[in-house]
Amino acid sequence: AAPAPARTAAAEPAADGQATFRQAQAALQSGDRSQAARLMQRAAEQGVPAAQYRLAQMYERGEGVSQDMTQARRWTARAAEAGNAQARHNLGVFYARGEGGEQNLERAAENFRQAARAGVADSQYNLAAMLEEGAGVQANPREALYWYREAARDGDNDAAERVRALSPQGEPADAPDGR
């Protein structure tokens, strides 16, 4: 018989983290918010992106923990770095508003652009608005119109209104470089 592959230490925490995340979700469903927060923290520390994102929301809302926007932003950033597109959008919001840390419109726009490329309609809209206004980025009405159109295709009614308002100013840009 062929030898079984060695179990790596890196694989075990991920499996343990997923199990802990499921326990945290069960605790949330049962209404035990403080136990859920402890378990979610453990799973997040074990590198589970979904747990990192959910823990960020718990800190943002004060759900099972004291409300702490700095911790909310920190865990949102970790989930975004792990590839969670919705966390990437939320990180853009933290930067745009200056919640939980410094306000930085350039970094807000960067995060919205990444999430917009991943198909997050709210980021498509926010990026379009920043491009239209020149907030944190160089104003670019054609690219703004492109992103408003993308958001409108995803059902954003406000984006559809902006498309109607901006369309006479010129045709929308093709997909931005790197989309």
Side-chain angles (χ1 to χ4, degrees), residues 67-85:
Q67 186 178 32
D68 185 334
M69 297 306 279
T70 301
Q71 286 295 326
R73 184 170 170 162
R74 174 178 167 251
W75 284 109
T76 298
R78 290 199 44 192
E81 290 163 12
N84 184 307

Side-chain angles (χ1 to χ4, degrees), residues 86-175:
Q86 189 61 49
R88 180 65 63 190
H89 167 78
N90 289 5
L91 187 57
V93 172
F94 278 116
Y95 277 115
R97 294 181 180 166
E99 292 178 337
E102 69 172 316
Q103 182 181 39
N104 185 322
L105 295 180
E106 291 82 11
R107 293 195 79 184
E110 291 168 17
N111 282 283
F112 289 143
R113 185 176 300 280
Q114 288 179 36
R117 288 178 178 151
V120 178
D122 287 340
S123 278
Q124 293 166 346
Y125 183 90
N126 289 352
L127 177 60
M130 293 180 86
L131 287 161
E132 182 181 1
E133 297 168 11
V137 293
Q138 183 173 346
N140 185 333
R142 288 177 51 87
E143 188 180 354
L145 184 55
Y146 170 82
W147 286 113
Y148 280 133
R149 284 187 192 272
E150 290 295 302
R153 282 189 194 109
D154 288 334
D156 188 309
N157 293 328
D158 291 335
E161 288 179 26
R162 294 305 307 144
V163 168
R164 285 189 293 277
L166 293 176
S167 289
Q169 295 181 14
E171 290 301 310
D174 292 331

Side-chain angles (χ1 to χ4, degrees), residues 9-82:
E12 289 181 39
D16 289 346
Q18 287 295 334
T20 304
F21 177 59
R22 286 190 296 276
Q23 291 173 340
Q25 289 177 303
L28 275 171
Q29 287 189 326
S30 73
D32 188 349
R33 304 240 182 265
S34 61
Q35 175 67 1
R38 284 190 293 277
L39 291 167
M40 201 65 73
Q41 179 88 31
R42 188 177 321 147
E45 289 170 353
Q46 291 173 322
V48 178
Q52 293 167 341
Y53 180 61
R54 186 64 180 94
L55 182 62
Q57 292 176 315
M58 293 173 81
Y59 275 115
E60 189 173 356
R61 298 174 185 152
E63 182 181 10
V65 294
S66 295
Q67 186 178 32
D68 185 334
M69 297 306 279
T70 301
Q71 286 295 326
R73 184 170 170 162
R74 174 178 167 251
W75 284 109
T76 298
R78 290 199 44 192
E81 290 163 12

